[in-house]
Amino acid sequence: MDVDYSKLWEKVNVNNTISYYNTNTSTFVESTQLVQMTEAWSRFTSKLALSSIILDFGCGSGRDTKYFLEHGYKVEAIDGSEELCKVASAYTGISVKNQLFTDLSEVQKYDAVWACSSILHASSEDLVIIIKKICTALKSHGLFYTSFKYGEFEGERNGRYFTDFTEESFAALLKKSADFDILETWITGDVRPGREDEKWLNIILQKK
């Protein structure tokens, strides 16, 4: 029987990344939970009605879920790390679902999907599948925010798998994956103290 080694390698990458967050939960939460994502929050919510249902797709510490809940939005949240789900559930007061990105199965349920520094851990091959699933989960004209480290690297870095993008490489990926228009892109420095020189690509898309 033929074995698809590329699929096995991707599974190892996913497991390694999840293991990293399960093992380093406290350190990750301490470095991210109180970070203010003011610009991204503002750009995203300015396009949403208060009745919107948001999926926080890879919610990490629960920081963004809490922000959206406190500002009147209905929010569901998932994360692949069992330990981060526990932390985020306690922090936000809602039950955070432990789920892999590739297992998203909802159809036209959400007004918006927020994937801040989360799907960057998927391979470029899996991202094609994941973005299609996000498109399916969104209502017509739904919004999708995501962010990636800025560059062209793909592979393991600091114990986790990363896929980096530029404006051009993300636009090329999007042509393979789903029916979205890009509304905005902007580049920011990392908002965590001491990491301002790290560049991030921020993107807001809208389902056609």
Side-chain angles (χ1 to χ4, degrees), residues 21-49:
Y21 286 110
N22 284 336
T23 304
N24 297 279
T25 306
S26 296
T27 302
F28 176 75
V29 169
E30 287 170 7
S31 67
T32 61
Q33 197 169 67
L34 299 180
V35 168
Q36 296 298 298
M37 297 291 296
T38 307
E39 181 179 8
W41 289 334
S42 177
R43 288 185 187 236
F44 183 66
T45 58
S46 68
K47 298 173 174 59
L48 291 177

PDB file of all heavy atoms in Angstrom, residues 21-49:
ATOM      1  N   TYR A  21       1.975  24.396  22.474  1.00  0.00           N
ATOM      2  CA  TYR A  21       1.050  25.251  23.232  1.00  0.00           C
ATOM      3  C   TYR A  21       0.545  24.561  24.505  1.00  0.00           C
ATOM      4  O   TYR A  21       0.322  25.220  25.516  1.00  0.00           O
ATOM      5  CB  TYR A  21      -0.104  25.699  22.345  1.00  0.00           C
ATOM      6  CG  TYR A  21       0.312  26.758  21.360  1.00  0.00           C
ATOM      7  CD1 TYR A  21       0.401  26.484  20.001  1.00  0.00           C
ATOM      8  CD2 TYR A  21       0.671  28.032  21.790  1.00  0.00           C
ATOM      9  CE1 TYR A  21       0.816  27.458  19.100  1.00  0.00           C
ATOM     10  CE2 TYR A  21       1.088  29.005  20.907  1.00  0.00           C
ATOM     11  CZ  TYR A  21       1.157  28.713  19.555  1.00  0.00           C
ATOM     12  OH  TYR A  21       1.581  29.680  18.668  1.00  0.00           O
ATOM     13  N   ASN A  22       0.373  23.245  24.454  1.00  0.00           N
ATOM     14  CA  ASN A  22      -0.027  22.527  25.667  1.00  0.00           C
ATOM     15  C   ASN A  22       1.068  22.549  26.725  1.00  0.00           C
ATOM     16  O   ASN A  22       0.791  22.572  27.927  1.00  0.00           O
ATOM     17  CB  ASN A  22      -0.383  21.077  25.329  1.00  0.00           C
ATOM     18  CG  ASN A  22      -1.735  20.941  24.664  1.00  0.00           C
ATOM     19  OD1 ASN A  22      -2.607  21.792  24.822  1.00  0.00           O
ATOM     20  ND2 ASN A  22      -1.916  19.875  23.906  1.00  0.00           N
ATOM     21  N   THR A  23       2.311  22.563  26.282  1.00  0.00           N
ATOM     22  CA  THR A  23       3.449  22.531  27.199  1.00  0.00           C
ATOM     23  C   THR A  23       3.821  23.923  27.709  1.00  0.00           C
ATOM     24  O   THR A  23       4.267  24.079  28.854  1.00  0.00           O
ATOM     25  CB  THR A  23       4.676  21.899  26.510  1.00  0.00           C
ATOM     26  OG1 THR A  23       4.321  20.596  26.044  1.00  0.00           O
ATOM     27  CG2 THR A  23       5.863  21.794  27.461  1.00  0.00           C
ATOM     28  N   ASN A  24       3.629  24.940  26.852  1.00  0.00           N
ATOM     29  CA  ASN A  24       4.052  26.306  27.187  1.00  0.00           C
ATOM     30  C   ASN A  24       2.868  27.244  27.405  1.00  0.00           C
ATOM     31  O   ASN A  24       2.955  28.445  27.139  1.00  0.00           O
ATOM     32  CB  ASN A  24       4.935  26.857  26.056  1.00  0.00           C
ATOM     33  CG  ASN A  24       6.205  26.054  25.885  1.00  0.00           C
ATOM     34  OD1 ASN A  24       7.179  26.239  26.613  1.00  0.00           O
ATOM     35  ND2 ASN A  24       6.198  25.143  24.915  1.00  0.00           N
ATOM     36  N   THR A  25       1.779  26.694  27.908  1.00  0.00           N
ATOM     37  CA  THR A  25       0.540  27.461  28.051  1.00  0.00           C
ATOM     38  C   THR A  25       0.731  28.731  28.873  1.00  0.00           C
ATOM     39  O   THR A  25       0.346  29.829  28.447  1.00  0.00           O
ATOM     40  CB  THR A  25      -0.553  26.586  28.691  1.00  0.00           C
ATOM     41  OG1 THR A  25      -0.693  25.384  27.949  1.00  0.00           O
ATOM     42  CG2 THR A  25      -1.876  27.328  28.732  1.00  0.00           C
ATOM     43  N   SER A  26       1.313  28.600  30.046  1.00  0.00           N
ATOM     44  CA  SER A  26       1.431  29.759  30.947  1.00  0.00           C
ATOM     45  C   SER A  26       2.264  30.873  30.327  1.00  0.00           C
ATOM     46  O   SER A  26       1.879  32.050  30.384  1.00  0.00           O
ATOM     47  CB  SER A  26       2.056  29.328  32.279  1.00  0.00           C
ATOM     48  OG  SER A  26       1.211  28.425  32.954  1.00  0.00           O
ATOM     49  N   THR A  27       3.395  30.507  29.731  1.00  0.00           N
ATOM     50  CA  THR A  27       4.261  31.503  29.115  1.00  0.00           C
ATOM     51  C   THR A  27       3.554  32.215  27.967  1.00  0.00           C
ATOM     52  O   THR A  27       3.626  33.447  27.840  1.00  0.00           O
ATOM     53  CB  THR A  27       5.552  30.843  28.585  1.00  0.00           C
ATOM     54  OG1 THR A  27       6.212  30.198  29.672  1.00  0.00           O
ATOM     55  CG2 THR A  27       6.480  31.870  27.953  1.00  0.00           C
ATOM     56  N   PHE A  28       2.846  31.437  27.143  1.00  0.00           N
ATOM     57  CA  PHE A  28       2.130  32.025  26.010  1.00  0.00           C
ATOM     58  C   PHE A  28       1.032  32.965  26.484  1.00  0.00           C
ATOM     59  O   PHE A  28       0.881  34.080  25.966  1.00  0.00           O
ATOM     60  CB  PHE A  28       1.548  30.919  25.122  1.00  0.00           C
ATOM     61  CG  PHE A  28       0.721  31.438  23.984  1.00  0.00           C
ATOM     62  CD1 PHE A  28       1.314  32.019  22.881  1.00  0.00           C
ATOM     63  CD2 PHE A  28      -0.666  31.365  24.034  1.00  0.00           C
ATOM     64  CE1 PHE A  28       0.552  32.513  21.829  1.00  0.00           C
ATOM     65  CE2 PHE A  28      -1.436  31.864  23.001  1.00  0.00           C
ATOM     66  CZ  PHE A  28      -0.827  32.436  21.896  1.00  0.00           C
ATOM     67  N   VAL A  29       0.265  32.533  27.462  1.00  0.00           N
ATOM     68  CA  VAL A  29      -0.840  33.355  27.972  1.00  0.00           C
ATOM     69  C   VAL A  29      -0.304  34.654  28.563  1.00  0.00           C
ATOM     70  O   VAL A  29      -0.840  35.744  28.308  1.00  0.00           O
ATOM     71  CB  VAL A  29      -1.671  32.571  29.006  1.00  0.00           C
ATOM     72  CG1 VAL A  29      -2.651  33.498  29.728  1.00  0.00           C
ATOM     73  CG2 VAL A  29      -2.426  31.435  28.323  1.00  0.00           C
ATOM     74  N   GLU A  30       0.758  34.563  29.345  1.00  0.00           N
ATOM     75  CA  GLU A  30       1.333  35.760  29.961  1.00  0.00           C
ATOM     76  C   GLU A  30       1.798  36.782  28.927  1.00  0.00           C
ATOM     77  O   GLU A  30       1.724  37.995  29.151  1.00  0.00           O
ATOM     78  CB  GLU A  30       2.509  35.358  30.855  1.00  0.00           C
ATOM     79  CG  GLU A  30       2.089  34.668  32.141  1.00  0.00           C
ATOM     80  CD  GLU A  30       3.271  34.072  32.884  1.00  0.00           C
ATOM     81  OE1 GLU A  30       4.424  34.324  32.461  1.00  0.00           O
ATOM     82  OE2 GLU A  30       3.043  33.343  33.874  1.00  0.00           O
ATOM     83  N   SER A  31       2.265  36.300  27.769  1.00  0.00           N
ATOM     84  CA  SER A  31       2.803  37.201  26.753  1.00  0.00           C
ATOM     85  C   SER A  31       1.743  37.742  25.802  1.00  0.00           C
ATOM     86  O   SER A  31       2.013  38.673  25.032  1.00  0.00           O
ATOM     87  CB  SER A  31       3.890  36.491  25.940  1.00  0.00           C
ATOM     88  OG  SER A  31       3.343  35.446  25.154  1.00  0.00           O
ATOM     89  N   THR A  32       0.534  37.184  25.844  1.00  0.00           N
ATOM     90  CA  THR A  32      -0.472  37.576  24.845  1.00  0.00           C
ATOM     91  C   THR A  32      -1.800  38.063  25.409  1.00  0.00           C
ATOM     92  O   THR A  32      -2.470  38.879  24.772  1.00  0.00           O
ATOM     93  CB  THR A  32      -0.776  36.403  23.893  1.00  0.00           C
ATOM     94  OG1 THR A  32      -1.295  35.293  24.651  1.00  0.00           O
ATOM     95  CG2 THR A  32       0.464  35.971  23.128  1.00  0.00           C
ATOM     96  N   GLN A  33      -2.184  37.604  26.594  1.00  0.00           N
ATOM     97  CA  GLN A  33      -3.569  37.817  27.039  1.00  0.00           C
ATOM     98  C   GLN A  33      -3.934  39.283  27.240  1.00  0.00           C
ATOM     99  O   GLN A  33      -5.074  39.689  26.999  1.00  0.00           O
ATOM    100  CB  GLN A  33      -3.839  37.025  28.315  1.00  0.00           C
ATOM    101  CG  GLN A  33      -5.320  36.861  28.619  1.00  0.00           C
ATOM    102  CD  GLN A  33      -5.553  35.866  29.733  1.00  0.00           C
ATOM    103  OE1 GLN A  33      -5.180  36.110  30.874  1.00  0.00           O
ATOM    104  NE2 GLN A  33      -6.159  34.735  29.417  1.00  0.00           N
ATOM    105  N   LEU A  34      -2.986  40.090  27.666  1.00  0.00           N
ATOM    106  CA  LEU A  34      -3.291  41.497  27.943  1.00  0.00           C
ATOM    107  C   LEU A  34      -2.826  42.436  26.833  1.00  0.00           C
ATOM    108  O   LEU A  34      -2.945  43.653  26.958  1.00  0.00           O
ATOM    109  CB  LEU A  34      -2.648  41.905  29.274  1.00  0.00           C
ATOM    110  CG  LEU A  34      -3.125  41.132  30.505  1.00  0.00           C
ATOM    111  CD1 LEU A  34      -2.423  41.633  31.758  1.00  0.00           C
ATOM    112  CD2 LEU A  34      -4.642  41.237  30.656  1.00  0.00           C
ATOM    113  N   VAL A  35      -2.343  41.882  25.738  1.00  0.00           N
ATOM    114  CA  VAL A  35      -1.904  42.703  24.603  1.00  0.00           C
ATOM    115  C   VAL A  35      -3.117  43.366  23.954  1.00  0.00           C
ATOM    116  O   VAL A  35      -4.150  42.735  23.729  1.00  0.00           O
ATOM    117  CB  VAL A  35      -1.153  41.834  23.574  1.00  0.00           C
ATOM    118  CG1 VAL A  35      -0.944  42.600  22.270  1.00  0.00           C
ATOM    119  CG2 VAL A  35       0.190  41.393  24.137  1.00  0.00           C
ATOM    120  N   GLN A  36      -2.994  44.652  23.661  1.00  0.00           N
ATOM    121  CA  GLN A  36      -4.093  45.403  23.056  1.00  0.00           C
ATOM    122  C   GLN A  36      -3.983  45.385  21.530  1.00  0.00           C
ATOM    123  O   GLN A  36      -3.051  45.938  20.962  1.00  0.00           O
ATOM    124  CB  GLN A  36      -4.081  46.842  23.571  1.00  0.00           C
ATOM    125  CG  GLN A  36      -4.324  46.967  25.062  1.00  0.00           C
ATOM    126  CD  GLN A  36      -5.696  46.450  25.461  1.00  0.00           C
ATOM    127  OE1 GLN A  36      -6.718  46.974  25.027  1.00  0.00           O
ATOM    128  NE2 GLN A  36      -5.729  45.417  26.288  1.00  0.00           N
ATOM    129  N   MET A  37      -4.949  44.754  20.878  1.00  0.00           N
ATOM    130  CA  MET A  37      -4.988  44.681  19.416  1.00  0.00           C
ATOM    131  C   MET A  37      -5.886  45.791  18.866  1.00  0.00           C
ATOM    132  O   MET A  37      -6.735  45.570  18.012  1.00  0.00           O
ATOM    133  CB  MET A  37      -5.510  43.309  18.993  1.00  0.00           C
ATOM    134  CG  MET A  37      -4.626  42.153  19.412  1.00  0.00           C
ATOM    135  SD  MET A  37      -3.059  42.141  18.525  1.00  0.00           S
ATOM    136  CE  MET A  37      -3.630  41.865  16.845  1.00  0.00           C
ATOM    137  N   THR A  38      -5.686  46.985  19.356  1.00  0.00           N
ATOM    138  CA  THR A  38      -6.625  48.090  19.141  1.00  0.00           C
ATOM    139  C   THR A  38      -6.889  48.366  17.670  1.00  0.00           C
ATOM    140  O   THR A  38      -8.054  48.501  17.247  1.00  0.00           O
ATOM    141  CB  THR A  38      -6.099  49.365  19.820  1.00  0.00           C
ATOM    142  OG1 THR A  38      -5.797  49.077  21.188  1.00  0.00           O
ATOM    143  CG2 THR A  38      -7.129  50.464  19.756  1.00  0.00           C
ATOM    144  N   GLU A  39      -5.838  48.474  16.871  1.00  0.00           N
ATOM    145  CA  GLU A  39      -6.040  48.814  15.460  1.00  0.00           C
ATOM    146  C   GLU A  39      -6.808  47.727  14.725  1.00  0.00           C
ATOM    147  O   GLU A  39      -7.771  48.011  13.988  1.00  0.00           O
ATOM    148  CB  GLU A  39      -4.696  49.057  14.768  1.00  0.00           C
ATOM    149  CG  GLU A  39      -4.860  49.439  13.298  1.00  0.00           C
ATOM    150  CD  GLU A  39      -3.538  49.712  12.593  1.00  0.00           C
ATOM    151  OE1 GLU A  39      -2.474  49.456  13.194  1.00  0.00           O
ATOM    152  OE2 GLU A  39      -3.582  50.168  11.447  1.00  0.00           O
ATOM    153  N   ALA A  40      -6.419  46.487  14.919  1.00  0.00           N
ATOM    154  CA  ALA A  40      -7.099  45.383  14.240  1.00  0.00           C
ATOM    155  C   ALA A  40      -8.539  45.248  14.709  1.00  0.00           C
ATOM    156  O   ALA A  40      -9.463  45.055  13.902  1.00  0.00           O
ATOM    157  CB  ALA A  40      -6.339  44.082  14.458  1.00  0.00           C
ATOM    158  N   TRP A  41      -8.758  45.329  16.030  1.00  0.00           N
ATOM    159  CA  TRP A  41     -10.134  45.281  16.545  1.00  0.00           C
ATOM    160  C   TRP A  41     -10.988  46.377  15.912  1.00  0.00           C
ATOM    161  O   TRP A  41     -12.115  46.128  15.486  1.00  0.00           O
ATOM    162  CB  TRP A  41     -10.129  45.477  18.058  1.00  0.00           C
ATOM    163  CG  TRP A  41      -9.596  44.347  18.868  1.00  0.00           C
ATOM    164  CD1 TRP A  41      -9.563  43.015  18.543  1.00  0.00           C
ATOM    165  CD2 TRP A  41      -9.019  44.439  20.174  1.00  0.00           C
ATOM    166  NE1 TRP A  41      -9.004  42.282  19.562  1.00  0.00           N
ATOM    167  CE2 TRP A  41      -8.656  43.130  20.579  1.00  0.00           C
ATOM    168  CE3 TRP A  41      -8.775  45.501  21.048  1.00  0.00           C
ATOM    169  CZ2 TRP A  41      -8.067  42.855  21.814  1.00  0.00           C
ATOM    170  CZ3 TRP A  41      -8.184  45.238  22.284  1.00  0.00           C
ATOM    171  CH2 TRP A  41      -7.841  43.925  22.656  1.00  0.00           C
ATOM    172  N   SER A  42     -10.460  47.594  15.856  1.00  0.00           N
ATOM    173  CA  SER A  42     -11.218  48.731  15.348  1.00  0.00           C
ATOM    174  C   SER A  42     -11.558  48.569  13.877  1.00  0.00           C
ATOM    175  O   SER A  42     -12.705  48.793  13.458  1.00  0.00           O
ATOM    176  CB  SER A  42     -10.422  50.018  15.577  1.00  0.00           C
ATOM    177  OG  SER A  42     -11.108  51.126  15.037  1.00  0.00           O
ATOM    178  N   ARG A  43     -10.574  48.178  13.080  1.00  0.00           N
ATOM    179  CA  ARG A  43     -10.822  48.004  11.636  1.00  0.00           C
ATOM    180  C   ARG A  43     -11.863  46.915  11.386  1.00  0.00           C
ATOM    181  O   ARG A  43     -12.709  47.036  10.494  1.00  0.00           O
ATOM    182  CB  ARG A  43      -9.513  47.650  10.920  1.00  0.00           C
ATOM    183  CG  ARG A  43      -8.516  48.800  10.808  1.00  0.00           C
ATOM    184  CD  ARG A  43      -7.329  48.335   9.984  1.00  0.00           C
ATOM    185  NE  ARG A  43      -6.230  49.280   9.934  1.00  0.00           N
ATOM    186  CZ  ARG A  43      -5.706  49.768   8.813  1.00  0.00           C
ATOM    187  NH1 ARG A  43      -6.214  49.424   7.642  1.00  0.00           N
ATOM    188  NH2 ARG A  43      -4.676  50.594   8.856  1.00  0.00           N
ATOM    189  N   PHE A  44     -11.785  45.849  12.165  1.00  0.00           N
ATOM    190  CA  PHE A  44     -12.683  44.707  12.002  1.00  0.00           C
ATOM    191  C   PHE A  44     -14.103  45.054  12.439  1.00  0.00           C
ATOM    192  O   PHE A  44     -15.072  44.888  11.677  1.00  0.00           O
ATOM    193  CB  PHE A  44     -12.124  43.551  12.826  1.00  0.00           C
ATOM    194  CG  PHE A  44     -12.871  42.253  12.732  1.00  0.00           C
ATOM    195  CD1 PHE A  44     -12.920  41.539  11.553  1.00  0.00           C
ATOM    196  CD2 PHE A  44     -13.482  41.716  13.866  1.00  0.00           C
ATOM    197  CE1 PHE A  44     -13.566  40.317  11.481  1.00  0.00           C
ATOM    198  CE2 PHE A  44     -14.135  40.495  13.804  1.00  0.00           C
ATOM    199  CZ  PHE A  44     -14.177  39.789  12.608  1.00  0.00           C
ATOM    200  N   THR A  45     -14.252  45.562  13.650  1.00  0.00           N
ATOM    201  CA  THR A  45     -15.594  45.812  14.186  1.00  0.00           C
ATOM    202  C   THR A  45     -16.292  46.988  13.512  1.00  0.00           C
ATOM    203  O   THR A  45     -17.530  47.058  13.532  1.00  0.00           O
ATOM    204  CB  THR A  45     -15.553  46.044  15.708  1.00  0.00           C
ATOM    205  OG1 THR A  45     -14.698  47.152  16.003  1.00  0.00           O
ATOM    206  CG2 THR A  45     -15.053  44.802  16.427  1.00  0.00           C
ATOM    207  N   SER A  46     -15.532  47.888  12.904  1.00  0.00           N
ATOM    208  CA  SER A  46     -16.160  49.018  12.212  1.00  0.00           C
ATOM    209  C   SER A  46     -17.011  48.554  11.034  1.00  0.00           C
ATOM    210  O   SER A  46     -17.869  49.290  10.541  1.00  0.00           O
ATOM    211  CB  SER A  46     -15.097  49.999  11.716  1.00  0.00           C
ATOM    212  OG  SER A  46     -14.321  49.432  10.675  1.00  0.00           O
ATOM    213  N   LYS A  47     -16.790  47.330  10.595  1.00  0.00           N
ATOM    214  CA  LYS A  47     -17.523  46.774   9.455  1.00  0.00           C
ATOM    215  C   LYS A  47     -18.623  45.806   9.877  1.00  0.00           C
ATOM    216  O   LYS A  47     -19.268  45.190   9.038  1.00  0.00           O
ATOM    217  CB  LYS A  47     -16.535  46.054   8.518  1.00  0.00           C
ATOM    218  CG  LYS A  47     -15.472  46.965   7.923  1.00  0.00           C
ATOM    219  CD  LYS A  47     -14.437  46.152   7.142  1.00  0.00           C
ATOM    220  CE  LYS A  47     -13.446  47.049   6.409  1.00  0.00           C
ATOM    221  NZ  LYS A  47     -12.692  47.943   7.306  1.00  0.00           N
ATOM    222  N   LEU A  48     -18.832  45.675  11.207  1.00  0.00           N
ATOM    223  CA  LEU A  48     -19.783  44.689  11.709  1.00  0.00           C
ATOM    224  C   LEU A  48     -20.957  45.340  12.423  1.00  0.00           C
ATOM    225  O   LEU A  48     -20.791  46.325  13.141  1.00  0.00           O
ATOM    226  CB  LEU A  48     -19.092  43.752  12.710  1.00  0.00           C
ATOM    227  CG  LEU A  48     -18.042  42.781  12.170  1.00  0.00           C
ATOM    228  CD1 LEU A  48     -17.433  42.002  13.323  1.00  0.00           C
ATOM    229  CD2 LEU A  48     -18.629  41.830  11.140  1.00  0.00           C
ATOM    230  N   ALA A  49     -22.125  44.742  12.266  1.00  0.00           N
ATOM    231  CA  ALA A  49     -23.287  45.138  13.071  1.00  0.00           C
ATOM    232  C   ALA A  49     -23.149  44.499  14.451  1.00  0.00           C
ATOM    233  O   ALA A  49     -22.528  43.440  14.609  1.00  0.00           O
ATOM    234  CB  ALA A  49     -24.571  44.659  12.401  1.00  0.00           C
TER     235      ALA A  49
END
